[in-house]
Every structure is written in structure tokens, then in C-alpha cells.
Amino acid sequence: MPIIALTAALGACLCWARKRDGWPSKLLSSSSGETPRRSDSTVSRTTSATLALAKLGVKFTLHAYDYDPNADRIGLQAAEALGIEPRRMLKTLMAEVDGKPVCAVVPSDREVSMKKLAAAFAGKAASMMRPADAERLTGYHVGGISPFAPKKHVPVAIDQAALAETSVFLNGGQRGLQIELDPNDAVRALDATVQALTG
């Protein structure tokens, strides 16, 4: 099947391809060695987030699921849809520390501590970014915000609890798309600081 290129609203190129047609193996490999939970054996998607990881040579697996825009907690809904433990589903939170944009990546079953978030970036005060500002800054839609390859680079902190997992899931830059990878690879790819951000 030929690759069909579509142009997304934000100008990102979304490509669909069948695995057997020579899609780069690093886009479909998994550090955990687990079989993907969805039909990525037949169809995979690319976003600026997945392209950035592929360029770095990071091994990951894509997982698609039915995104529920009415879910109270998007990360928990994604974990349930994929049948994984909520602590392995990391949510991407855009925030501000002393008025400067930052990104916090924490397990979906935990709440970020504003005090710890500020401390992680050597600041005094932290607050969540308005959704419209987060979309403008990252180039992604709320519910599909990935810490990888945002429109504007910002410093990233990952909750240290994530490093205890063999693999974690982060948003792939599109609603209903998750990237599974080794948390240490995520830290390196994001040049992130690892801090206690929850509790």
C-alpha cells in the first residue's frame, strides 16, 4: 500500500504506512519487546514527535486508542483504553515557573506539586499554563500535547517515579496516539531533569 501524506491543521505531516512496505524499523520497534496492543502491525502514524525520536535513533512503539474528549482525566482514560497501569502512562503538563514556560512529565495517577515544580526549575512560583497558550507554544492540541518536538523548546522535568518503570507511555503528538519507550531514553531525548514533582 502506498504511503498517503496528509497535511494536518498545524502544518504537521501525518504519514500512514503499512509495516511491510519498508517503514523504518526503529519507528516500530519496542524497547520492552512487547507486542503492540493495537493494529500497529498494519498501520502506523508519524508526527513531529515520532519523527524527532526516529532521528535520534530512539526505540519506541506506537499505540493508538479511542480518545475520549469528554474524559475527566485524559491520561487515566488513555491508560484504561490501552490496558496498562496508570503509573506508566505519563501526562505532559505545560506550566510556568516565575513566568517562564516549562514542561512537567508525571504519572497520570499523580498530581504535580506546584512547589516541587518550581523547585525543579530553581524558581519561586509555578502555575499551570492556559490551554490556549500551551497549544500555541507546543503546536499540539490539548489531549495530544507531546513533550517531544514542540514548536518552541522549553525545559522539561520528569517525575523520578517514572524511572522505576521498564517502559512508559507519553503522548505521541496527536489525540489517541501514545509512544511507549524506556524512561531513560525519554530523559535523554528530552534533555530533561529528573526530580520529585508529585506528592
Side-chain angles (χ1 to χ4, degrees):
M1 176 181 288
I3 296 176
I4 302 171
L6 300 172
T7 303
L10 294 173
C13 178
L14 302 177
C15 300
W16 301 67
R18 287 195 181 274
K19 198 188 265 190
R20 68 170 184 242
D21 288 340
W23 197 254
S25 59
K26 61 187 169 188
L27 283 177
L28 300 168
S29 62
S30 169
S31 58
S32 66
E34 296 176 358
T35 301
R37 289 190 166 271
R38 62 122 185 162
S39 59
D40 22 8
S41 60
T42 56
V43 178
S44 295
R45 301 183 199 184
T46 64
T47 64
S48 52
T50 61
L51 288 172
L53 289 174
K55 187 174 181 180
L56 291 171
V58 175
K59 293 181 181 180
F60 62 91
T61 302
L62 293 176
H63 298 269
Y65 66 98
D66 291 328
Y67 172 78
D68 180 1
N70 299 314
D72 291 332
R73 298 178 71 180
I74 295 169
L76 293 181
Q77 186 264 324
E80 182 178 355
L82 291 173
I84 65 161
E85 303 89 342
R87 70 175 189 272
R88 294 177 60 210
M89 179 65 66
L90 307 183
K91 55 187 175 182
T92 304
L93 304 173
M94 300 307 296
E96 294 180 348
V97 172
D98 295 345
K100 296 180 181 178
V102 299
C103 177
V105 178
V106 301
S108 64
D109 60 350
R110 298 188 181 193
E111 294 299 323
V112 68
S113 161
M114 291 297 124
K115 183 176 180 180
K116 290 180 179 180
L117 181 60
F121 293 102
K124 295 180 180 178
S127 62
M128 295 305 298
M129 190 178 291
R130 293 185 311 165
D133 291 339
E135 289 188 336
R136 191 165 38 253
L137 185 76
T138 63
Y140 296 120
H141 290 297
V142 168
I145 293 179
S146 177
F148 302 109
K151 188 176 178 182
K152 181 178 179 182
H153 174 75
V154 299
V156 180
I158 295 180
D159 189 66
Q160 66 183 17
L163 277 292
E165 305 297 335
T166 303
S167 70
V168 293
F169 293 70
L170 291 98
N171 197 287
Q174 185 176 336
R175 293 168 178 166
L177 186 67
Q178 293 288 328
I179 295 170
E180 180 183 7
L181 75 170
D182 184 307
N184 293 291
D185 287 341
V187 170
R188 286 189 288 271
L190 294 166
D191 192 23
T193 181
V194 178
Q195 300 283 339
L197 299 175
T198 60

